Amino acid sequence: MMALPRRTPLGRAMLLAFALLATTVHGADLSLHYQRPAPDTAEGWEREALPIGNGRIGAMIFGQLARERLQFNDITLWTGDDQVMGAYQPFGDVYINLPGHEAASGYQRKLDLGDSLHTVSYQHAGVQYRREAFASYPAQVMVVRLSADQAGQYTGSIELADMHQAHIRASGSRLYATGSLAGYVLPSPAGQPAAPPSANGMDYASQVQVLHEGGTLVSDGTRISFTGCDSITLIIGAGTSYVNDAARRFQGAHPLPRVTAQVSAAAARPWAELLAEHEKDFHALFDRVQLDLGQPAPERLALNTDQRIATYTQQGKDPGLEAQFFQYGRYLLISSSRDSLPANLQGLWNNSLTPPWNSDYHTNINIQMNYWPAEPANLAPLVQPFFGF
């Protein structure tokens, strides 16, 4: 039996969830929170960045100040074809550049598991700044909003980067990336023979719509700059030509029209409406189970999540953290298994062109482990992608 790769947070969390299912009552601390950004490194991605997802698309968010990074994925972006073994691929990155924001006070980074909402807040030069991000299943986009308690405080730029040499351009207030995996060659380890070019003709596309209140917006080649804005809202869409149809070799229509329509529809709606719709949809699944394993000590509740985990490792005795980890497993499955491909080894979130075990679907045990607790944890609809696959 193959062991789970080290970087499989979904599998680890869901296994603990399965072990804790015997006690289902109510009440839990549902907030992961930290007082510093995640380092923008491979280790920072693995251990400290925080995930959002709507089942098909998702992102790891680092919470950086002057150059925020959202490393995003679509669960259908794969190399290989019906003849050649491929690998799940990272899609791209969205960067939010805020020059001068390197120094800040009162920094707080939080992932609310119950609302599926990521927030960053801090003070800089006497201004209170706030970022909120979520991945909407109803709208099929990711949404990021930057706001402040004073007008005209946002000056910076937005960039869209791709992992497979897509064509990137800025036009008006939108960034576009379009590309294909046809002929793509997976990087090979040093000393290993080169991998064959992919015969997978998969097309893919991503877009970022930049909305602003106050100030000005200018597109410049491959980035969009903004000056003196009260707030900035990003609508992020992505998609591929994948279809679940072997007779068509799993290749469907080019995703560009679909991604354009999804981004345009979401951009035409108010931020508050998109957020309320997202939270209502997410709560319909997440709120099916509440768990109370006992009250943690007040001093444990006061700790940041990284400190709380370190203390638990040394001393144990934190039933609130155990209940939170159970709910984190449910959060991850809701975020990575809805009406598309099932959760893979990384669940949805992968930052590597050559991920461990290809981040694939090993049917000897690994994919089953992701789904063992789903129905006992009252998430039966999320098993459908697994059964369909």
Side-chain angles (χ1 to χ4, degrees):
M1 180 175 73
M2 181 175 291
L4 276 173
R6 184 167 62 95
R7 295 197 297 185
T8 311
L10 177 64
R12 292 198 296 266
M14 289 301 285
L15 281 174
L16 181 60
F18 189 58
L20 294 172
L21 282 170
T23 309
T24 303
V25 195
H26 66 277
D29 174 16
L30 297 176
S31 172
L32 310 181
H33 51 93
Y34 306 81
Q35 287 186 314
R36 61 185 178 88
D40 190 359
T41 63
E43 185 169 315
W45 174 91
E46 178 180 345
R47 296 181 179 272
E48 299 185 50
L50 294 171
I52 61 172
N54 72 359
R56 180 182 63 84
I57 56 175
M60 296 292 280
I61 306 177
F62 290 75
Q64 289 283 334
L65 291 166
R67 184 170 168 81
E68 172 66 295
R69 178 188 178 197
L70 286 83
Q71 184 265 313
F72 70 92
N73 285 13
D74 179 303
I75 204 167
T76 65
L77 187 70
W78 292 72
T79 64
D81 54 30
D82 52 356
Q83 301 295 321
V84 178
M85 178 72 169
Y88 179 45
Q89 295 290 285
F91 206 117
D93 298 276
V94 175
Y95 292 100
I96 304 171
N97 301 304
L98 298 172
H101 285 226
E102 292 84 356
S105 61
Y107 179 93
Q108 188 73 244
R109 177 168 61 102
K110 182 173 74 171
L111 178 64
D112 188 314
L113 301 178
D115 289 336
S116 185
L117 181 67
H118 182 282
T119 61
V120 172
S121 61
Y122 60 94
Q123 294 89 43
H124 169 67
V127 179
Q128 179 71 38
Y129 291 90
R130 182 176 177 85
R131 301 178 202 158
E132 298 164 275
F134 60 90
S136 169
Y137 174 78
Q140 286 296 300
V141 295
M142 293 178 286
V143 187
V144 183
R145 181 170 174 81
L146 288 70
S147 59
D149 67 353
Q150 298 180 31
Q153 297 302 312
Y154 277 105
T155 295
S157 63
I158 307 297
E159 297 175 66
L160 175 60
D162 178 75
M163 297 292 287
H164 302 89
Q165 294 79 52
H167 175 68
I168 297 175
R169 65 184 177 92
S171 178
S173 57
R174 191 172 298 193
L175 292 162
Y176 299 81
T178 53
S180 172
L181 292 184
Y184 177 73
V185 178
L186 278 172
S188 298
Q192 296 288 329
S198 175
N200 181 349
M202 177 179 287
D203 296 310
Y204 64 90
S206 62
Q207 294 179 17
V208 182
Q209 176 73 43
V210 183
L211 307 171
H212 69 109
E213 297 175 13
T216 59
L217 210 66
V218 177
S219 61
D220 178 20
T222 59
R223 73 168 59 194
I224 293 175
S225 300
F226 48 89
T227 304
C229 295
D230 303 338
S231 68
I232 296 291
T233 301
L234 308 181
I235 308 295
I236 304 167
T240 78
S241 57
Y242 169 83
V243 292
N244 188 13
D245 186 348
R248 299 168 65 183
R249 301 190 68 189
F250 305 102
Q251 298 305 316
H254 199 288
L256 181 59
R258 181 176 73 251
V259 173
T260 299
Q262 290 167 343
V263 171
S264 296
R269 299 171 62 193
W271 150 266
E273 182 180 298
L274 290 169
L275 177 60
E277 178 186 62
H278 159 70
E279 290 183 341
K280 180 180 179 181
D281 169 77
F282 189 83
H283 278 283
L285 288 167
F286 190 84
D287 291 354
R288 291 176 169 205
V289 169
Q290 296 175 322
L291 180 67
D292 187 347
L293 300 177
Q295 189 65 28
E299 57 268 24
R300 295 292 183 94
L301 282 173
L303 295 174
N304 293 315
T305 300
D306 49 355
Q307 299 168 332
R308 192 173 177 183
I309 292 171
T311 303
Y312 180 85
T313 301
Q314 296 296 322
Q315 303 175 20
K317 300 179 181 178
D318 191 342
L321 184 64
E322 293 168 349
Q324 185 184 91
F325 196 38
F326 163 81
Q327 293 288 25
Y328 190 36
R330 297 180 70 248
Y331 169 88
L332 291 171
L333 193 65
I334 296 170
S335 303
S336 64
S337 182
R338 294 186 71 179
D339 295 347
S340 186
L341 290 175
N344 57 53
L345 286 185
Q346 263 63 27
L348 165 62
W349 305 275
N350 163 44
N351 69 334
S352 174
L353 295 171
T354 55
W357 282 273
N358 300 308
S359 189
D360 64 10
Y361 297 109
H362 272 86
T363 56
N364 57 357
I365 196 63
N366 284 333
I367 187 172
Q368 292 90 334
M369 293 172 82
N370 282 346
Y371 286 93
W372 282 341
E375 290 176 302
N378 207 3
L379 294 175
L382 306 186
V383 187
Q384 292 305 314
F386 176 48
F387 289 160
F389 185 70

